[in-house]
Amino acid sequence: MSALVISTAGPAVQYSGSKFGTVRATPAGPLRLTRRGRMVFLGIPALVVAAVLMLSVVAVLLGVVASPANAATKYTPVNMTDYAASVTVLQGQSLWSIAAKSDPNRDVRDVVAEIVALNDLGTSVLQAGQQLYVPLPK
């Protein structure tokens, strides 16, 4: 009777008998990584970590260069008295009535749009006593 030993990735298996009737498993040696296995196990994660670090450094550098805080320090503030006048909203006034009174020669829609932009208004609801900048007549 001859014995046949087949080596696989798992434990070594020894078959004996003429028709491979009996099967007995023997323990395999220690696990060894091939060059391709080391690349998959160590190389790819190392490349991913290096890419994340590089992207983080680029993001930080771009954030420092393109920061809105830097933009605010490079320009002098605009003097609003050269461009707009301050008015106090009276009871019952609307953006439309204030715009029509401030510059009757222009389209009221354009003046309303300027008032909204000058005062950074999120709504058209005004409160009595509220201070608004209105554009000077052109």
Side-chain angles (χ1 to χ4, degrees):
M1 283 206 181
S2 64
L4 175 66
V5 177
I6 299 175
S7 176
T8 62
V13 178
Q14 181 177 3
Y15 296 99
S16 62
S18 62
K19 294 277 186 172
F20 302 111
T22 16
V23 177
R24 186 179 72 188
T26 60
L31 178 67
R32 290 190 224 160
L33 287 176
T34 62
R35 183 184 305 177
R36 184 181 294 165
R38 282 190 298 271
M39 178 61 119
V40 169
F41 191 69
L42 301 173
I44 293 176
L47 288 175
V48 169
V49 168
V52 167
L53 286 175
M54 294 247 324
L55 289 175
S56 299
V57 167
V58 168
V60 167
L61 290 176
L62 286 177
V64 168
V65 173
S67 171
N70 284 342
T73 60
K74 294 180 182 177
Y75 301 102
T76 58
V78 175
N79 187 1
M80 291 299 285
T81 58
D82 296 338
Y83 185 71
S86 178
V87 297
T88 303
V89 177
L90 302 175
Q91 185 69 33
Q93 282 187 320
S94 66
L95 282 174
W96 191 270
S97 64
I98 293 171
K101 189 186 286 186
S102 70
D103 197 353
N105 296 329
R106 290 179 54 203
D107 187 5
V108 178
R109 293 172 292 189
D110 294 336
V111 179
V112 168
E114 276 189 70
I115 292 172
V116 168
L118 282 171
N119 297 286
D120 196 26
L121 298 176
T123 179
S124 62
V125 177
L126 301 177
Q127 302 294 324
Q130 182 176 355
Q131 293 288 327
L132 289 178
Y133 286 110
V134 294
L136 294 174
K138 294 180 180 179

